[in-house]
Amino acid sequence: MTTSAWIMLGITWAVISFFTLYFFAIILRRKGNKDT
Amino acid sequence: MKRAEHWGTRVGLVLAVAGNAVGLGNFLRFPAQAAQNGGGAFLIPYLVCFLLMGLPLLWVEWAIGRHGGQFGHHSAPGMLDKLGTAHWLKYVGVFGLFTNLCIAAYYIYIESWALAYVFHSFVGTFRDIAPTAFFNNFVGADHESIFYMPREALFWFLLTLALNSFILSRGLARGIEIAALIGMPLLVLFGIILAIRALTLPMDSPGIVQSPLVGLNFVWEPDLGGLGNPKTWLAAAGQVFFTLSVGMGSIHCYASYLRKNQDIAANAMAAGWTNEFVEVILGSSIILPIATAYLGLEAVQQATAGGSGFSLGFLALPTLFNNWGWFAPLAGAFWFGLLFFAAITSSLAMGQPILAFLEDEYDWPRVKAAIAFGVCSLFLGLVCVWLYPGGAFDEFDFWTGTFSLVVFALCEAIIFNWIFGVDRAWEEITRGADLKIPQLFRFVIHYVTPAFLLVVFVGSLISPESGNWVAAFHSLLSGNGWPFAADSVIGKIFHVGSDYRWFDDAGHATRDLVMDGTRVLLSLVFFGIAWLVYKAWKKKEGAR
């Protein structure tokens, strides 16, 4: 793997993992189908 | 009066929508598209299209769905009817039933292959028989006649279809939601196990010709030169479009079971980003590294020509797993199990709008509607099974799984923005939101997303030979006409590149006959659904 490939992979994986966890955290914090 | 159905849990809903989006394309199509479009060069347009077209379209579809649900409509015709006063709006919604029914028919057939391959991986079939020979025999492609009915494939198809109908008949919370809560975590677990194994294959193990990281490097090495190529952008937009399962009517359907003030903004994001996690992180870390390690990068590039990873996934991987000793049957079962879970969570999402239409507009009980879906899918699916060697399958895939999606998404984006109105649209998207959507997206949803969709639509209509737009414009300007690609919509309609005839010299039916017959069948299905919509509304008007 070249350095630029590692950088591209690292940034993309980090961004996607961050947003996936971030939005799941919102959902788990406000679980309710019944709270609205 | 029927009791309104709702989701059991919010996580269940998000996993069901994510499961709808996560399909075979995440593991087979995405790596192949990346490999064919310059590797790392593909990723930048892909992410841009995801942000400017994919995410906004998700919000649009969730909003249309929740809005329609308030009026008791859980399928596209009723939902679109409520976006304006024009009578024709409901007929645009016919696409939202047509695509789901027709895609389900052939998609469940592929799903059944994955289930059959789980079984054959477990029992070690691929140790004795080469997967290519097995597959051709399995689907009847090695048979002389193009009208051959393969028995084993038919058995697995019926089994998978029955399973789908059974889960659908159990309802939203007790059927689809449970399937998503079991299937999605298992899919991710299998994916992580296979990705770790793929990326840590030692160079001194038997059969290895190249480091698996060479395959990974190919996907991730940025090649900024490719950014100027329209083909790369169109391929990226197409992949984002298909991976999110937009333009089908299934997201609308799932969202319609939400209450008026329940969040859609965060739900849509969680489902969309989960799909990206599975596609970009897991999808790029399994098939390409393993295939590169055992076959070499050049062979992988050849095998993915045409942008499908099918031959790598179903024909190459079962053999390559044989190098893994005792782990081989498990690896095969994990891989095809993963594909099966990815597929069934999607096919259930295709079935639900059909059930919802029959329940809402014809007052059918759920079990009767599930059986009707099963019977219709069986009939259409049998055409795919029976005429697979004749090309019926490809016709279904092109007209329903590719073209109709783009048409419907473009129509809904225009209707939502300009008939329903952008102010009401924005209010609908942001009402009850658990996150603040930046105002910038109001502009993006209004102008940028429809423009992207229009480009994808025109691109699919007139895409040139080899995707070479520059050469095509040169050809047009020099008076030689536009060189339509055989797989463009115009090229398909006029059978470009084919020696068009219905019977060969010996009087046998040709693929052209099967293709034309399939198109007639698909047209009949479309107009049949439109007639059902007409009858349902006529009945309602009569009752008022």
Side-chain angles (χ1 to χ4, degrees):
Chain A
M1 286 273 281
T2 61
T3 310
S4 54
W6 276 120
I7 292 171
M8 180 88 179
L9 178 149
I11 293 172
T12 314
W13 283 30
V15 168
I16 290 176
S17 302
F18 170 77
F19 279 113
T20 307
L21 292 173
Y22 174 71
F23 289 118
F24 258 97
I26 290 178
I27 282 168
L28 291 172
R29 209 172 55 222
R30 300 185 189 183
K31 274 188 186 168
N33 247 345
K34 299 169 186 71
D35 63 358
T36 47
Chain B
M1 181 78 183
K2 272 188 306 184
R3 197 170 66 85
E5 268 200 292
H6 290 289
W7 294 97
T9 63
R10 192 173 179 182
V11 174
L13 159 67
V14 169
L15 287 184
V17 180
N20 167 33
V22 173
L24 297 165
N26 292 55
F27 296 97
L28 300 176
R29 194 175 189 271
F30 172 77
Q33 287 288 327
Q36 286 301 307
N37 290 288
F42 179 75
L43 261 299
I44 295 170
Y46 175 85
L47 293 172
V48 171
C49 292
F50 175 65
L51 290 174
L52 298 182
M53 185 184 76
L55 292 185
L57 206 51
L58 284 180
W59 279 321
V60 167
E61 297 205 342
W62 277 75
I64 293 175
R66 189 183 60 176
H67 178 262
Q70 310 317 311
F71 299 92
H73 292 296
H74 302 91
S75 61
M79 290 172 189
L80 291 184
D81 188 51
K82 291 294 173 192
L83 291 181
T85 52
H87 291 296
W88 55 267
L89 286 171
K90 58 182 172 287
Y91 294 109
V92 178
V94 170
F95 278 104
L97 296 173
F98 168 72
T99 49
N100 280 304
L101 183 62
C102 295
I103 294 174
Y106 71 83
Y107 199 83
I108 293 174
Y109 188 36
I110 311 179
E111 190 179 312
S112 73
W113 298 350
L115 189 60
Y117 273 57
V118 170
F119 170 76
H120 283 289
S121 297
F122 256 131
V123 299
T125 302
F126 302 117
R127 288 194 189 282
D128 307 321
I129 307 171
T132 309
F134 174 84
F135 178 76
N136 286 338
N137 180 264
F138 183 76
V139 297
D142 60 354
H143 214 268
E144 270 186 22
S145 166
I146 59 172
F147 299 108
Y148 176 69
M149 180 69 84
R151 285 194 189 86
E152 192 190 345
L154 182 63
F155 164 75
W156 289 103
F157 176 59
L158 291 175
L159 184 67
T160 312
L161 195 56
L163 185 62
N164 273 275
S165 297
F166 171 70
I167 295 173
L168 285 168
S169 72
R170 288 178 58 83
L172 211 60
R174 293 196 312 133
I176 295 171
E177 193 170 331
I178 290 174
L181 286 168
I182 295 171
M184 286 301 288
L186 275 178
L187 178 155
V188 172
L189 178 71
F190 290 171
I192 289 173
I193 292 171
L194 287 170
I196 291 173
R197 175 65 183 158
L199 298 176
T200 56
L201 279 171
M203 277 301 287
D204 56 356
S205 60
I208 297 267
V209 297
Q210 236 172 354
S211 164
L213 294 182
V214 173
L216 197 64
N217 185 74
F218 180 66
V219 180
W220 291 101
E221 175 72 53
D223 170 15
L224 300 180
L227 293 179
N229 187 349
K231 179 177 172 245
T232 309
W233 282 88
L234 267 178
Q239 178 60 25
V240 166
F241 195 86
F242 300 120
T243 188
L244 292 173
S245 294
V246 286
M248 288 181 69
S250 48
I251 291 175
H252 311 65
C253 175
Y254 277 4
S256 70
Y257 293 100
L258 284 169
R259 294 183 175 88
K260 188 180 178 185
N261 291 315
Q262 279 185 306
D263 164 273
I264 55 173
N267 285 346
M269 289 303 93
W273 284 95
T274 303
N275 177 68
E276 292 314 295
F277 178 85
V278 173
E279 173 150 301
V280 178
I281 297 182
L282 295 181
S284 68
S285 305
I286 300 174
I287 194 167
L288 286 182
I290 296 175
T292 305
Y294 290 105
L295 303 172
L297 188 58
E298 209 172 305
V300 169
Q301 284 176 286
Q302 281 170 8
T304 54
S308 162
F310 175 80
S311 64
L312 278 186
F314 275 85
L315 306 182
L317 245 55
T319 309
L320 306 185
F321 288 145
N322 284 338
N323 292 301
W324 292 4
W326 65 268
F327 189 55
L330 272 182
F334 283 174
W335 169 244
F336 291 109
L338 170 158
L339 291 183
F340 176 71
F341 285 128
I344 194 166
T345 46
S346 302
S347 60
L348 291 173
M350 295 169 202
Q352 181 60 25
I354 312 296
L355 267 68
F357 175 73
L358 294 173
E359 286 182 287
D360 296 342
E361 319 302 350
Y362 281 90
D363 290 325
W364 281 26
R366 168 163 280 272
V367 174
K368 185 179 170 188
I371 292 170
F373 167 72
V375 170
C376 290
S377 300
L378 175 64
F379 170 69
L380 293 170
L382 279 179
V383 176
C384 292
V385 178
W386 181 41
L387 296 174
Y388 178 87
F393 186 101
D394 295 336
E395 285 297 300
F396 266 70
D397 184 36
F398 182 81
W399 294 108
T400 65
T402 308
F403 184 61
S404 293
L405 304 187
V406 182
V407 173
F408 183 52
L410 181 60
C411 291
E412 71 178 353
I414 291 169
I415 291 168
F416 193 57
N417 274 299
W418 283 285
I419 293 181
F420 188 60
V422 70
D423 292 333
R424 290 171 72 197
W426 186 249
E427 194 278 329
E428 189 64 43
I429 289 171
T430 52
R431 193 177 63 246
D434 280 339
L435 64 93
K436 187 165 168 51
I437 305 175
Q439 277 287 332
L440 170 72
F441 275 102
R442 184 184 162 118
F443 174 80
V444 171
I445 288 169
H446 198 186
Y447 296 109
V448 181
T449 306
F452 257 94
L453 289 168
L454 193 63
V455 169
V456 174
F457 174 71
V458 174
S460 68
L461 214 58
I462 60 164
S463 70
E465 256 176 351
S466 315
N468 193 338
W469 289 83
V470 178
F473 277 109
H474 278 301
S475 168
L476 185 67
L477 294 174
S478 58
N480 293 323
W482 186 266
F484 291 103
D487 62 352
S488 66
V489 174
I490 304 277
K492 281 269 183 188
I493 290 172
F494 293 105
H495 296 273
V496 167
S498 129
D499 175 23
Y500 180 68
R501 55 185 181 162
W502 280 5
F503 298 96
D504 62 16
D505 294 338
H508 296 132
T510 64
R511 283 175 66 92
D512 289 325
L513 176 62
V514 174
M515 285 159 78
D516 285 347
T518 309
R519 289 174 194 182
V520 171
L521 173 68
L522 291 174
S523 305
L524 288 175
V525 173
F526 185 91
F527 290 112
I529 295 172
W531 181 77
L532 286 177
V533 171
Y534 169 78
K535 290 287 284 182
W537 261 257
K538 195 88 179 157
K539 198 176 82 178
K540 278 182 199 174
E541 281 164 16
R544 271 202 286 269

